[in-house]
Amino acid sequence: MKYSPILPAVSLLFLAACSGAGGGTSLDQKLQNPLYAQKYYEDLVSHMVSLQIHNDPILKKSDIKSVVDKARLNGVTLAQNAAKQKDKGPHGIFVSDNDEVAGSVLLLGTTLYIGPDFYLAPGPSTHFYLTTVTDPRTVQFPDNTAVDLGPVQDAYGAQTLHVPSSKDTAHTLVLFDTQMKKIFGFAQLAE
C-alpha cells in the first residue's frame, strides 16, 4: 500500500476541529472571528479540492470520500457566510510606512476582529487605539478622541478585542507603542 502524507494531515485537521485544542483558544472560538473563519474555510475547501484533483487514494474509501465532499461543500457555504460579515461593519487594512504592520480588521458592533493575516514587528508596549482621526500621522497622537483598547495580544495572527460602545464613530484603528511614542501603523475603517 502506497503511503499518502495527506491522510495524516486530514486526520489532524479533523481532530483539531473536534478537540478545540491549541494555544488556549479553541477552534470554535477562533471561528467566531469572520476574518479568521473566511481564511480557514477557504483553505479547507482548497485542501479538499486538492485531494480530488490529485485523485488521492484515500478517496477510494466511500466513507472518506463522503467526509471530504461534505467538508468541501460545507466549507464553501461557511467561507461565503464569513465573507458577507465584512458588509455588516466598517473594515480596513493596516498600512505602515516601514512595513512594521500588515493585516485586515473588521468592526462589528462592540467587537473588533483582527484577521489571520495580521503581522506586527513587536515593540516594547504596542497598543490598539481607536480614534475619530482619519490619519493619525497628521495629529499629535494619541489625540483627544483616541481610546486605548489595550496591548496587542499577539504580534502574529487573528485576535478579538472589545470596543466601548461609545466608539461607534471611530474612523481609524491605530497601533501605537506607548513607551516608544511611535505609530507602527493604522487601518482606516470604512463600510
Side-chain angles (χ1 to χ4, degrees), residues 9-33:
V10 171
S11 299
L12 286 175
L13 177 68
F14 286 110
L15 281 175
C18 294
S19 71
T25 304
S26 73
L27 179 60
D28 286 339
Q29 290 169 320
K30 289 179 182 179
L31 290 172
Q32 297 303 307
N33 177 335

Side-chain angles (χ1 to χ4, degrees), residues 18 23 25 33 38 53 57 60 72 76 86 89-90 93 96 99 108 110-111 125 128 130 133-134 139 156 160 164:
C18 294
T25 304
N33 177 335
Q38 181 181 1
I53 289 172
K60 291 181 181 173
R72 179 181 48 80
V76 167
K86 282 196 245 180
I93 296 188
S96 172
D99 296 323
L108 293 176
T110 60
T111 306
S125 183
F128 287 107
L130 270 178
V133 174
T134 303
V139 299
Y156 318 104
T160 303

Side-chain angles (χ1 to χ4, degrees), residues 84-92 105-109 189-191:
K84 289 177 186 176
Q85 291 293 322
K86 282 196 245 180
D87 295 336
K88 295 182 178 181
H91 55 279
V105 61
L106 170 65
L107 178 61
L108 293 176
L189 305 176
E191 303 244 5

Side-chain angles (χ1 to χ4, degrees), residues 35-100:
L35 301 173
Y36 181 92
Q38 181 181 1
K39 171 87 170 113
Y40 177 88
Y41 289 119
E42 286 173 351
D43 287 350
L44 175 69
V45 169
S46 177
H47 187 213
M48 298 302 103
V49 168
S50 178
L51 292 172
Q52 293 171 328
I53 289 172
H54 294 100
N55 204 17
D56 193 285
I58 66 169
L59 297 177
K60 291 181 181 173
K61 296 180 180 179
S62 63
D63 58 332
I64 301 289
K65 183 173 182 344
S66 176
V67 167
V68 169
D69 289 342
K70 184 177 177 182
R72 179 181 48 80
L73 293 172
N74 195 35
V76 167
T77 300
L78 292 170
Q80 290 170 341
N81 290 343
K84 289 177 186 176
Q85 291 293 322
K86 282 196 245 180
D87 295 336
K88 295 182 178 181
H91 55 279
I93 296 188
F94 283 106
V95 294
S96 172
D97 289 335
N98 300 316
D99 296 323
E100 296 170 328

